[in-house]
Amino acid sequence: MTDEPKKLRAGVVGLGWAGQQHMQAYFDAANADLVALAGMEAEKLAELGDKYGVERRYADWESMIKSGDLDVISVATPTALHAPIAVGALNAGIHVLSEKPMAESGAAAATMVQAAKDNDRVLDVSFNHRQRGEVTALKEIIDRGRLGQIYYAKAGWLRRQGIPGLGTWFTRASLAGGGAMMDIGVHMLDMALHLLGNPEVSSATAATYAEFGPRGRGGSAYGPRANVDTKVDFEVEDLSTAFLRLDGGGTLLLESSWAQWIPYDQCYVALYGSEGGASIEWGGWGVEPYQRLNVWTEIDGIPAELQPIVPPAGHHEASVLKFLDKVQSGQFAEHRGEEALIRAKVLDAIYASAAKGTEVTL
């Protein structure tokens, strides 16, 4: 009879919505104990500490890391803090799960990967939308060869009105690194590349626009300063589009917006293969949301539309549980955040292309 692995002592830095998803996941996990929280909002820190029964509460992440007695840490802060916190934790021997995007630049993301290698720790990034049931089902179909050679893909996340906090860190380039593409477009980039089998991106041709944010318009209905015709500090884009060339000859068209004149929010990935096509779609408004997985192919020469069984979605909980499994597997060298680093470098190329008005090679 072997002893069960000890529970991993977990800490979370960041008290916002994403941080709270990580807290709940650690709290519910059978193989982890949530033992420490860090955040600058004193009232929220007290509230969440009481909710989860966490006695160790810190106003800053440095104090939490220096206190010791942590095995894993989640980083759910403004993007520009991801790399400093992750590197500090990794150097202290703590495994790290960072929220997306990995960092504000590929260079910053690379420091995180190097720290994971130097300290023999796990570095993971939470792309929670990859845990959707439709993605799991479609990935299995692709891996079985049902779509054949996929040569073209489209992916996008478009909001009617959803700039997350006008005038906050989300709209400041130095803190966020970018706007809609950095915030939500990265989810669709990750999802598309994951479904395609992670081909290398060879070049990017992109454009960015800021038509709503600078006028104080397009703010989320749940955030501050929504729909007001007042100029605000807005240093990023509210819409971005990119054409990516992939090794092997394939291409990916990517678009993302925080605000746009469309009927409702829309998210999609569409794949075109030699033996079939497929799409994942979700969006809509309020009481009329939609969520679809479509697969079109041919069986014995007869056009067919498949209806795959879709497993339940995992969301942030699945990201946290998979991270804990990676830590307990002991196979740290296989999980250094290098796949997420590739996403960060692609984002660099997208923004560089938009700034220069020309194609940028990776």
Side-chain angles (χ1 to χ4, degrees), residues 33-352:
D33 283 325
L34 180 61
V35 300
L37 301 177
M40 297 177 62
E41 305 91 337
E43 290 186 7
K44 180 62 72 173
L45 183 61
E47 174 191 335
L48 293 170
D50 290 345
K51 177 179 179 179
Y52 293 107
V54 177
E55 295 182 1
R56 294 170 53 190
R57 308 169 189 180
Y58 303 90
D60 61 272
W61 60 269
E62 293 100 331
S63 297
M64 188 172 85
I65 290 174
K66 288 178 182 177
S67 69
D69 297 327
L70 285 178
D71 300 304
V72 299
I73 191 172
S74 278
V75 182
T77 63
T79 304
L81 290 175
H82 289 185
I85 297 172
V87 171
L90 291 163
N91 286 342
I94 303 170
H95 303 279
V96 173
L97 174 61
S98 174
E99 261 302 312
K100 64 80 208 166
M102 187 175 189
E104 75 278 15
S105 68
T111 66
M112 299 164 68
V113 171
Q114 190 60 52
K117 293 178 178 178
D118 291 344
N119 296 284
D120 193 26
R121 299 290 92 177
V122 169
L123 170 63
D124 204 2
V125 176
S126 177
F127 286 110
N128 55 293
H129 282 283
R130 191 194 287 196
Q131 315 305 328
R132 300 181 71 90
E134 304 97 318
V135 176
T136 301
L138 182 52
K139 180 62 173 169
E140 183 175 351
I141 289 169
I142 293 169
D143 289 347
R144 291 189 177 190
R146 178 59 69 181
L147 303 188
Q149 179 65 36
I150 301 173
Y151 53 88
Y152 179 48
K154 298 188 293 185
W157 186 329
L158 310 175
R159 289 178 179 167
R160 166 71 183 260
Q161 178 180 323
I163 299 175
L166 285 166
T168 70
W169 71 267
F170 276 102
T171 61
R172 296 175 185 167
S174 61
L175 295 176
M181 183 62 75
M182 182 73 76
D183 178 38
I184 54 179
V186 69
H187 276 302
M188 310 315 292
L189 172 65
D190 174 73
M191 192 183 301
L193 293 180
H194 169 66
L195 289 169
L196 291 170
N198 288 308
E200 290 188 17
V201 178
S202 59
S203 69
T205 304
T208 58
Y209 307 87
E211 298 295 331
F212 291 81
R215 292 186 289 152
R217 305 188 69 185
S220 170
Y222 303 102
R225 307 178 73 170
N227 251 350
V228 292
D229 274 307
T230 304
K231 289 185 178 180
V232 298
D233 290 333
F234 194 86
E235 303 171 350
V236 295
E237 87 284 358
D238 48 38
L239 184 148
S240 178
T241 181
F243 178 76
L244 307 179
R245 294 187 183 276
L246 313 176
D247 281 3
T251 54
L252 167 61
L253 184 62
L254 183 66
E255 60 177 347
S256 180
S257 72
W258 276 338
Q260 194 174 353
W261 292 122
I262 53 177
Y264 44 73
D265 292 6
Q266 305 167 20
C267 299
Y268 67 91
V269 177
L271 307 176
Y272 303 83
S274 59
E275 307 302 324
S279 70
I280 295 172
E281 305 170 81
W282 76 91
W285 277 117
V287 296
E288 295 184 351
Y290 63 88
Q291 186 171 308
R292 295 187 286 263
L293 168 59
N294 307 295
V295 180
W296 303 277
T297 185
E298 181 178 272
I299 298 177
D300 295 332
I302 301 173
E305 182 172 344
L306 306 184
Q307 293 184 319
I309 296 174
V310 176
H315 303 301
H316 278 88
E317 179 184 16
S319 294
V320 170
L321 292 178
K322 288 181 178 180
F323 166 61
L324 294 173
D325 286 344
K326 292 171 185 177
V327 172
Q328 291 193 320
S329 73
Q331 305 300 313
F332 304 158
E334 299 176 9
H335 310 293
R336 304 294 198 207
E338 291 171 309
E339 191 172 272
L341 174 58
I342 292 171
R343 277 51 168 168
K345 290 180 177 179
V346 173
L347 290 175
D348 277 354
I350 288 172
Y351 284 112

